[in-house]
Amino acid sequence: MMTKTPEMAHLPTFWGLYFRVSDVDAGAERVKVNGGKVLNGPMEVPGGDRILQCMDPQGAAFSLYQRKG
């Protein structure tokens, strides 16, 4: 959870949905092949895990998460 900054006040509140996958890079390709978009990533986050933010063909946002190791 995070408190919005004053610059973010105009954005709607939402919950981010993460799906754990074994390979974020493969997940990114699967999203694109099935008509979705990669919005950000894949990228490493503190601790070494990797994430990817996406949008499905209908406009719903979701993320993929790969554990380090």
Side-chain angles (χ1 to χ4, degrees):
M1 290 192 253
M2 159 182 157
T3 301
K4 290 183 187 179
T5 64
E7 297 80 21
M8 298 170 64
H10 67 285
L11 297 173
T13 300
F14 69 94
W15 288 96
L17 181 63
Y18 284 77
F19 295 98
R20 192 160 98 178
V21 297
S22 59
D23 184 343
V24 167
D25 296 306
E29 290 307 312
R30 190 169 178 186
V31 166
K32 292 186 269 187
V33 164
N34 286 288
K37 296 179 184 177
V38 172
L39 303 176
N40 186 32
M43 65 183 179
E44 188 172 310
V45 295
D49 295 344
R50 298 183 73 220
I51 63 171
L52 167 74
Q53 283 88 33
C54 308
M55 184 174 289
D56 75 11
Q58 290 77 37
F62 65 96
S63 299
L64 302 181
Y65 162 76
Q66 176 185 339
R67 288 185 71 177
K68 179 182 177 180

